């Protein structure tokens, strides 16, 4: 599956991982970190608090007849391509589930409680359109009790929402590759230029002002790109040059470099004393073909853990994020990095995407069946349940 680039068939070198087995991967950032691309390794151990906290991200989706908690009529923060209610999605069962961790309860999002946790604080989302999807879900959940003042920079790379009565700000930084890039305009018809070892200063120079940062990225790394290291062309993905002229590399190569560089920017950010939540890759659910070969996502209920598996590319991205998180945790103990694992819960939600219900029938779109983003309201609202509990742990401990 290649959500954005040209279709490509690759020889499989790794079997898909059953969801139950993914719990083992969570030990990577806590106990064992890999340095560089070699086989050398070093150990880093979790705090006592981490050892005794319930794992929020291992569990199942269970029925929740009370959902949803907002609609497209009560929230104006829903973008068209996630507005499944407006565009006629006929089933509503996908709105009637909540996440239940195996070893504890995850409280549902309570906007008043959340705003008390974040009073006097600031929160930044750093990433791509799925990060924006998450932020808009949070805005909708908060809209039951509060409405912010919106501001954006002239280029639209940063948007801020100010909740004056609660002394709380939410910002989003548009940075789909996390690192310095060339012009991000797909209509130009050429690969993007990614400077994989250079910071994207549109966000890295500003994070010192934030108490909490949620960083994420994934699906854009499947787009055609040129990769630069030390200001020299190092290789490419889906580029037009023949193999003899340039090294053809994988999306995982750029994905690892991007997270390593982003974490280096955070560790080195002067004055930053906040908490960085590393939100892991939320997989897409194309079935019956790739995104550009008729693939779609028409299921109407979640999987159980034993019914599905994480495909090779998603597993590779997920593993890279865990490994790089482990490395980041060892490089500067003055910075706090927290795992925000959306991979394991969301691989079980093939029913939560817009599919054909993110646009009018017959609309001409690059991706006519959207199995990457999430309906609002929808299963992505559970991410705010996770965030509320993660923030509670930061404020009051376990």
């Amino acid at each position: 599956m290649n959500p954005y680039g040209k279709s490509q068939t690759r020889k499989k070198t790794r079997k898909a991982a059953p969801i139950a087995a993914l719990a083992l991967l969570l030990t990577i950032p806590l106990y064992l970190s890999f340095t560089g691309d070699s086989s050398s390794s070093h150990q880093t151990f979790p705090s006592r608090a981490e050892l005794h906290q319930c794992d929020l991200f291992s569990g199942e989706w269970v029925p929740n007849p009370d959902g949803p908690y907002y609609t497209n009529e009560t929230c104006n923060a829903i973008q068209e391509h996630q507005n499944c209610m407006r565009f006629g999605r006929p089933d509503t069962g996908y709105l009637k589930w909540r996440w239940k961790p195996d070893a504890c309860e995850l409280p549902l999002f309570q906007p008043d409680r959340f705003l008390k946790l974040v009073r006097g604080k600031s929160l930044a989302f750093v990433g791509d359109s799925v990060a924006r999807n998450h932020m808009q879900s949070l805005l909708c959940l908060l809209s039951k009790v509060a409405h912010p003042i919106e501001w954006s920079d002239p280029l639209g790379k940063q948007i801020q929402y100010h909740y004056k009565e609660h002394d709380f700000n939410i910002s989003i930084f548009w940075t789909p590759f996390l690192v310095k890039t060339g012009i991000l305009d797909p209509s130009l018809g050429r690969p993007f230029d990614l400077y994989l070892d250079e910071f994207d200063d549109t966000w890295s120079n500003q994070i010192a002002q934030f108490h909490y940062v949620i960083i994420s990225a994934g699906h854009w790394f499947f787009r055609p790109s040129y990769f630069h290291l030390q200001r020299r062309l190092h290789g490419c993905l889906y580029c037009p040059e023949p193999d003899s002229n340039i090294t053809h590399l994988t999306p995982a190569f750029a994905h690892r470099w991007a997270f390593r560089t982003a974490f280096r920017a955070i560790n080195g950010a002067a004055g930053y004393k906040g908490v960085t939540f590393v939100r892991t890759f939320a997989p897409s659910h194309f079935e019956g073909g790739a995104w550009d070969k008729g693939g779609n996502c028409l299921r109407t209920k979640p999987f159980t853990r034993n019914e599905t598996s994480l495909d090779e590319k998603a597993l590779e991205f997920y593993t890279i994020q865990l490994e790089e998180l482990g490395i980041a945790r060892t490089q500067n103990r003055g910075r706090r990095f927290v795992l925000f694992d959306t991979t394991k819960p969301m691989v079980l939600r093939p029913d939560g995407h817009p599919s054909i219900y993110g646009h009018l029938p017959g609309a001409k779109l690059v991706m006519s069946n959207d199995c990457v983003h999430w309906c609002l309201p929808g299963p992505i609202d559970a991410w705010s349940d996770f965030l509320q509990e993660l923030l509670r742990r930061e404020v009051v401990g376990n």
Side-chain angles (χ1 to χ4, degrees):
M1 179 185 63
N2 169 17
Y4 289 112
K6 299 176 181 177
S7 295
Q8 182 186 51
T9 301
R10 291 175 57 195
K11 182 178 180 181
K12 290 190 176 181
T13 57
R14 182 187 301 168
K15 293 182 179 179
I19 299 305
L22 291 178
L24 180 62
L25 285 172
L26 294 180
T27 61
I28 293 174
L30 295 178
Y31 299 101
L32 185 64
S33 302
F34 299 98
T35 56
D37 295 320
S38 67
S39 59
S40 63
S41 63
H42 58 276
Q43 290 183 322
T44 173
F45 296 95
S47 67
R48 180 174 297 179
E50 286 175 318
L51 283 171
H52 289 88
Q53 285 177 344
C54 165
D55 179 5
L56 299 176
F57 309 110
S58 292
E60 296 271 10
W61 293 93
V62 298
N64 177 31
D66 295 332
Y69 299 98
Y70 63 90
T71 71
N72 61 334
E73 294 182 350
T74 64
C75 180
N76 61 8
I78 303 174
Q79 286 189 285
E80 294 289 275
H81 61 278
Q82 294 145 13
N83 199 337
C84 303
M85 290 180 167
R86 177 184 176 188
F87 292 111
R89 179 163 176 166
D91 62 305
T92 59
Y94 70 100
L95 300 171
K96 303 293 184 179
W97 299 87
R98 66 177 178 87
W99 180 252
K100 170 63 175 70
D102 292 326
C104 61
E105 290 293 332
L106 175 64
L108 292 171
F109 185 86
Q110 300 175 36
D112 287 320
R113 182 187 187 197
F114 181 87
L115 289 169
K116 287 180 181 178
L117 285 171
V118 296
R119 176 173 289 278
K121 306 294 185 181
S122 53
L123 167 67
F125 291 86
V126 176
D128 57 16
S129 57
V130 179
R132 184 175 60 214
N133 201 173
H134 181 194
M135 181 198 69
Q136 290 163 341
S137 166
L138 176 59
L139 294 176
C140 285
L141 288 164
L142 290 173
S143 68
K144 294 180 66 176
V145 300
H147 298 276
I149 300 169
E150 181 179 345
W151 169 89
S152 64
D153 73 1
L155 298 178
K157 290 187 175 182
Q158 179 186 2
I159 304 175
Q160 184 180 96
Y161 300 86
H162 178 51
Y163 290 85
K164 184 177 180 180
E165 294 181 359
H166 303 274
D167 190 20
F168 172 54
N169 291 318
I170 298 174
S171 290
I172 184 162
F173 293 92
W174 169 251
T175 175
F177 294 111
L178 301 181
V179 296
K180 181 180 175 65
T181 65
I183 298 173
L184 289 174
D185 185 354
S187 68
L188 296 178
R190 68 179 301 275
F192 300 116
D193 287 299
L194 309 187
Y195 300 90
L196 294 173
D197 55 350
E198 299 185 42
F199 302 159
D200 178 357
D201 57 15
T202 61
W203 68 267
S204 64
N205 286 349
Q206 298 194 58
I207 63 165
Q209 65 185 288
F210 293 96
H211 298 88
Y212 305 110
V213 173
I214 303 175
I215 190 167
S216 59
H219 294 287
W220 275 64
F221 288 91
F222 294 100
R223 292 176 179 243
S225 303
Y226 290 112
F227 304 143
H228 303 264
L229 293 171
Q230 297 181 338
R231 285 301 175 106
R232 294 184 178 182
L233 182 62
H234 186 81
C236 70
L237 173 69
Y238 308 134
C239 60
E241 286 81 359
D243 290 353
S244 59
N245 292 341
I246 191 170
T247 302
H248 289 252
L249 299 166
T250 66
F253 174 85
H255 192 246
R256 182 180 294 280
W257 263 105
F259 272 89
R260 185 167 298 186
T261 299
F263 292 159
R264 184 164 54 87
I266 292 169
N267 269 327
Y272 177 57
K273 299 179 181 179
V275 179
T276 302
F277 297 103
V278 181
R279 187 186 62 73
T280 60
F281 185 67
S284 58
H285 291 91
F286 290 98
E287 295 186 72
W291 72 274
D292 57 347
K293 301 296 181 183
N296 207 345
C297 41
L298 299 174
R299 295 181 184 267
T300 57
K301 65 178 184 179
F303 289 124
T304 65
R305 277 179 289 196
N306 295 326
E307 288 182 312
T308 191
S309 58
L310 198 62
D311 71 37
E312 177 187 358
K313 292 182 180 179
L315 175 60
E316 189 172 32
F317 272 30
Y318 180 52
T319 305
I320 285 170
Q321 289 174 318
L322 296 182
E323 291 173 352
E324 293 303 319
L325 171 58
I327 294 170
R329 282 175 161 175
T330 67
Q331 289 181 338
N332 188 329
R333 296 191 182 277
R335 302 290 189 267
R336 179 152 172 74
F337 291 86
V338 175
L339 177 67
F340 189 156
D341 189 336
T342 53
T343 306
K344 289 192 295 182
M346 300 312 284
V347 74
L348 303 180
R349 293 308 304 266
D351 56 323
H353 300 287
S355 178
I356 63 173
Y357 301 108
H359 55 82
L360 291 170
K364 299 288 185 181
L365 299 172
V366 173
M367 185 170 59
S368 57
N369 301 329
D370 185 353
C371 303
V372 172
H373 302 97
W374 304 90
C375 293
L376 293 180
I380 195 173
D381 294 326
W383 296 10
S384 291
D385 300 344
F386 291 131
L387 179 59
Q388 178 179 256
E389 175 59 15
L390 291 172
L391 290 175
R392 185 197 69 80
R393 292 179 177 186
E394 294 299 321
V395 172
V396 301
N398 190 33

